[in-house]
């Protein structure tokens, strides 16, 4: 929260402070009256400060549209609707953030979504989807015209001749938790030249993606003297 009332700052500083003070969910959306509690504190200038608050909200929304190509600053009722006789409430879309957008960022998120999303936990996949939605609202045409963006026209994805096995979601979840929490895993392992699988306790280290297959890497202790 700002140390002083937002109304005491210059125009540019007011907009940034206002952006920081707005809630990030519709459930917490606030009215102009509620915003005035942090925006303006001088009762003698209340009318002028409230009008400035309305103008600043409109200006901030215009910046989001012009610079970030985003409708992240949401008004209920919507900006294009008449609010006569209604109490307007405001909030910022939760997935929005003022990130630095460059060629490498877009390329990274698109490749992550395309090649690894099927192996990630549901929460991770949703975060990737939210990030891509945010990036697509920004100046993506500029990225596609850049040298790195044009590489996408020369990338061809062919169906793999190696068919990945169907993995149980509970098994994947166990692997994810073991990796994130540094836990051991008990697995059933079978060499292709053996008739029956054996039970092993392994120390998982990470996942490797090759073609459309995913491999679990880790350590398999061979005796009772391994240093954990």
């Amino acid at each position: 929260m700002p140390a002083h009332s937002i109304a005491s700052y210059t125009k540019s500083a007011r907009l940034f402070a206002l952006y920081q003070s707005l809630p990030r969910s519709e459930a917490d959306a606030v009215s102009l009256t509620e915003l005035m509690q942090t925006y303006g504190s001088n009762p003698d200038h209340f009318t002028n400060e409230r009008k400035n608050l309305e103008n600043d909200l409109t200006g901030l929304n215009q910046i989001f549209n012009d610079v970030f190509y985003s409708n992240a600053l949401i008004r209920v009722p919507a900006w294009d609707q008449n609010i006569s006789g209604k109490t307007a409430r405001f909030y910022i879309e939760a997935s929005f953030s003022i990130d630095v957008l460059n060629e490498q960022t877009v390329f990274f998120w698109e490749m992550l979504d395309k090649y690894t999303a099927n192996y990630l936990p549901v929460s991770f996949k949703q975060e990737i989807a939210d990030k891509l939605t945010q990036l697509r609202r920004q100046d993506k045409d500029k990225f596609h015209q850049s040298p790195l963006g044009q590489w996408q026209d020369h990338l061809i994805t062919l169906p793999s001749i190696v068919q990945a096995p169907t993995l149980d979601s509970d098994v994947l979840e166990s692997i994810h938790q073991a990796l994130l929490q540094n836990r051991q895993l008990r697995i059933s392992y079978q060499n292709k030249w053996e008739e029956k699988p054996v039970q092993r306790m392994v120390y998982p280290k990470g996942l490797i993606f090759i073609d459309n297959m995913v491999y679990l890497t880790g350590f398999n202790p061979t005796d009772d003297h391994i240093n954990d």
Side-chain angles (χ1 to χ4, degrees):
M1 300 298 291
H4 306 284
S5 63
I6 297 176
S8 65
Y9 296 130
T10 61
K11 173 81 172 180
S12 56
R14 289 204 313 269
L15 292 179
F16 190 75
L18 185 58
Y19 163 73
Q20 290 181 304
S21 64
L22 284 165
R24 263 53 178 180
S25 72
E26 184 175 4
D28 297 322
V30 291
S31 65
L32 287 172
T33 301
E34 291 170 315
L35 277 173
M36 281 298 295
Q37 295 176 15
T38 54
Y39 184 89
S41 58
N42 190 334
D44 296 330
H45 300 99
F46 179 83
T47 301
N48 288 338
E49 289 180 349
R50 186 182 175 95
K51 186 62 179 178
N52 284 340
L53 171 58
E54 293 181 23
N55 292 335
D56 285 349
L57 284 166
T58 302
L60 191 60
N61 180 57
Q62 193 64 49
I63 289 174
F64 282 2
N65 280 270
D66 293 346
V67 178
F68 298 104
Y69 301 90
S70 170
N71 298 316
L73 178 49
I74 299 173
R75 189 189 77 174
V76 183
W79 289 98
D80 58 351
Q81 293 182 10
N82 190 328
I83 60 170
S84 179
K86 302 177 182 178
T87 299
R89 306 187 74 82
F90 303 85
Y91 70 97
I92 292 178
E93 190 178 74
S95 62
F96 176 80
S97 65
I98 302 178
D99 288 338
V100 174
L101 177 63
N102 54 38
E103 299 172 7
Q104 291 79 10
T105 328
V106 180
F107 190 81
F108 167 78
W109 285 104
E110 287 193 340
M111 293 303 100
L112 186 63
D113 176 64
K114 188 172 185 180
Y115 293 111
T116 66
N118 292 334
Y119 302 110
L120 297 174
V122 174
S123 59
F124 285 18
K125 288 191 286 186
Q126 186 58 53
E127 288 181 16
I128 293 174
D130 291 343
K131 176 61 69 174
L132 282 171
T133 299
Q134 175 189 333
L135 292 176
R136 291 183 181 115
R137 289 173 176 167
Q138 302 181 33
D139 193 4
K140 202 173 180 185
D141 288 339
K142 183 177 179 181
F143 165 72
H144 286 306
Q145 295 168 8
S146 68
L148 181 57
Q150 291 176 22
W151 267 103
Q152 291 191 116
D153 297 331
H154 305 286
L155 293 176
I156 300 175
T157 303
L158 298 176
S160 175
I161 60 173
V162 180
Q163 297 301 315
T166 301
L167 297 179
D168 186 287
S169 58
D170 291 336
V171 172
L172 274 177
E173 179 64 24
S174 297
I175 293 173
H176 292 147
Q177 291 303 315
L179 288 168
L180 294 173
Q181 301 175 17
N182 295 317
R183 292 182 177 178
Q184 296 173 317
L185 275 175
R186 185 183 298 278
I187 65 172
S188 178
Y189 180 82
Q190 182 174 3
N191 286 328
K192 58 183 177 182
W193 54 83
E194 298 289 346
E195 294 184 1
K196 295 182 179 181
V198 295
Q199 297 295 312
R200 287 186 177 180
M201 186 70 73
V202 298
Y203 298 79
K205 298 302 293 182
L207 297 174
I208 297 178
F209 302 97
I210 302 176
D211 199 10
N212 69 336
M213 302 286 285
V214 57
Y215 298 86
L216 173 66
T217 64
F219 295 102
N220 174 215
T222 57
D223 55 46
D224 295 332
H225 304 293
I226 188 170
N227 186 339
D228 289 351

